Amino acid sequence: MSARLVGVGVGPGDPDLVTVKGVRVLAEADVVFVPVMALDVPGRAEATVRAHVTHDRVRRVVFALDDRGGVTPRRESAWAAAGSAVADAFAAGAGTVAFATIGDPNVYSTFSYLADTVAEAVPGLVVETVPGITAMQDLAARSGSVLCEGTESLALLPLTAGIAAYEEALDAFDTVVAYKGGRHLPAVRAVLEARGRLEGAVFGAALGLPDEDVRPLTEVPADAEAPYLSTVIAPPARGTRGGRL
Amino acid sequence: MSARLVGVGVGPGDPDLVTVKGVRVLAEADVVFVPVMALDVPGRAEATVRAHVTHDRVRRVVFALDDRGGVTPRRESAWAAAGSAVADAFAAGAGTVAFATIGDPNVYSTFSYLADTVAEAVPGLVVETVPGITAMQDLAARSGSVLCEGTESLALLPLTAGIAAYEEALDAFDTVVAYKGGRHLPAVRAVLEARGRLEGAVFGAALGLPDEDVRPLTEVPADAEAPYLSTVIAPPARGTRGGRL
């Protein structure tokens, strides 16, 4: 029997934002792995998965999701342990294993690292992904923002790449979306204000969760930090209907 | 009764890529409008909608989707007629009207123009959107491409903005995704080859449809044009696992 590992994007937090295909893959998989910060703490992907999957097929693996130091020994060791857990599931007879990731498995996800690790241990492994709604898209919908229209360009980057990269993106692109913006929020706000682009910018965290926080960036205190998984959308000034077509 | 207009992203073409929320909104709406090129030709959004919705609630409105000339009289007139049709549905008693768009209603969609038009005619109109999987995400999944990882940046732009804008994006960003690339495909290929970035680039059209075409860009003939709604993903060269974290 072939071994099939499917990375399923489950969206930012609202279980209703999983796709029909994602729900089906989660329902049919022999085992569904979810990444958590610690084995005794449910993760954001897990909460969404449990809305769709029989609980006894869900298993936690620890990922150092909030590690900001690059490829640390803690991260390497977490990937290795998670890869072993998935390989063990195949060895125990699983045909299809799903791995749930928040957002989309091909957008700032650690699924590709996990898949590389598992492929080394499981000969003939077939790897697939199911796309998921990203935080950028969910925040656009929840805040009534249009991400891009007509000939506009869109830039997406994490603030872990540095505030200078963010400034360069603002200079060259129409809409700029920043991920992982939490502790950089005061700097982001200052940079946008200096460019006259604070108007229309929106901030979002914990999208679709009980503690959801969606606001115009002007309503976020200038010195406030925010959770690691925060998103800021800065759209361009727009004129007439379809003016950018 | 309040009038509620919901833009529902139905993904690129595969009906399974609609979200659970999208399916529910389509199922509960009093009327579901779908944009078509001509009243006697079913559109791509319509094919997806009909997989989820009772047929007698689906109505076509003509959008000049492939008009490349900006805000032409033909486009203005199509938006006005579509806006009137939606306003008429509310006047006839509809409480919730859904408007299905391929991809995501906040990413290069004409939904925002339609909503502006309807809002002028229907006092107190509430406008919402439901995010949908974009072609970029679907092509990444179908081609086994990772859009971005770690600190990488992503640029998305339509080739209707010109090949020079595409070149600038390639110079400044890690992954560059081009939409509406069909007739510009030979130029895109040449530009990527000159920069040593043809390797790893993927082309996609008609995603999730019977005539789906997903290929490494190296396998597309150098002088071939493609459909208007084509997508090209050009990822950066990547080294070790997690090397860009």
Side-chain angles (χ1 to χ4, degrees), chain A:
Chain A
M1 187 170 63
S2 71
R4 178 172 168 248
L5 174 63
V6 189
V8 179
V10 298
D14 179 347
D16 279 0
L17 289 184
V18 186
T19 63
V20 171
K21 184 172 186 177
V23 170
R24 198 182 59 236
V25 170
L26 292 173
E28 292 176 355
D30 298 302
V31 184
V32 177
F33 283 96
V34 293
V36 293
M37 305 283 288
L39 280 181
D40 55 353
V41 181
R44 194 190 286 202
E46 179 176 356
T48 293
V49 164
R50 288 194 185 278
H52 298 291
V53 174
T54 327
H55 288 206
D56 62 1
R57 288 186 294 117
V58 179
R59 292 192 207 160
R60 294 177 184 166
V61 283
V62 175
F63 261 58
L65 296 169
D66 65 340
D67 204 316
R68 292 167 184 168
V71 186
T72 59
R74 180 169 160 248
R75 258 195 154 126
E76 284 281 10
S77 136
W79 291 336
S84 293
V86 175
D88 288 350
F90 286 118
T96 296
V97 170
F99 186 89
T101 71
I102 56 168
D104 184 296
N106 295 308
V107 178
Y108 301 121
S109 159
T110 45
F111 174 71
S112 57
Y113 314 147
L114 179 87
D116 287 350
T117 309
V118 179
E120 286 168 17
V122 180
L125 180 73
V126 174
V127 176
E128 297 171 23
T129 58
V130 177
I133 299 298
T134 60
M136 170 176 87
Q137 295 169 275
D138 195 17
L139 178 56
R142 288 173 192 273
S143 64
S145 309
V146 173
L147 281 169
C148 40
E149 57 182 46
T151 57
E152 289 174 0
S153 57
L154 171 88
L156 171 65
L157 72 171
L159 285 165
T160 46
I163 197 78
Y166 182 65
E167 294 190 79
E168 285 166 26
L170 284 169
D171 290 338
F173 278 73
D174 293 311
T175 298
V176 178
V177 182
Y179 272 7
K180 304 177 184 174
R183 62 180 173 155
H184 303 277
L185 205 56
V188 165
R189 202 192 141 105
V191 161
L192 288 173
E193 191 154 30
R195 281 171 173 70
R197 290 185 65 170
L198 194 53
E199 192 70 31
V202 293
F203 163 83
L207 300 170
L209 302 178
D211 54 337
E212 174 176 292
D213 185 2
V214 172
R215 286 185 269 181
L217 193 55
T218 51
E219 292 177 15
V220 176
D223 58 350
E225 293 196 5
Y228 179 61
L229 290 180
S230 294
T231 301
V232 174
I233 298 174
R238 292 191 178 106
T240 54
R241 178 181 76 165
R244 300 299 301 267
L245 280 177

Side-chain angles (χ1 to χ4, degrees), chain B residues 93-110:
Chain B
T96 296
V97 169
F99 186 89
T101 70
I102 57 167
D104 183 296
N106 295 307
V107 178
Y108 301 121
S109 159
T110 44

Side-chain angles (χ1 to χ4, degrees), chain B residues 111-193:
Chain B
F111 175 72
S112 57
Y113 314 146
L114 178 87
D116 288 350
T117 309
V118 179
E120 286 168 16
V122 180
L125 179 73
V126 174
V127 176
E128 298 171 24
T129 57
V130 177
I133 299 299
T134 60
M136 169 175 86
Q137 295 169 274
D138 195 18
L139 178 56
R142 288 173 192 273
S143 64
S145 308
V146 173
L147 281 169
C148 40
E149 56 182 47
T151 58
E152 289 174 2
S153 58
L154 172 88
L156 171 65
L157 72 171
L159 284 165
T160 46
I163 197 78
Y166 182 65
E167 293 190 80
E168 285 166 25
L170 285 169
D171 290 338
F173 278 73
D174 293 311
T175 297
V176 178
V177 181
Y179 273 7
K180 304 177 184 173
R183 62 180 173 155
H184 302 278
L185 205 56
V188 165
R189 202 192 141 107
V191 161
L192 288 174
E193 190 154 31

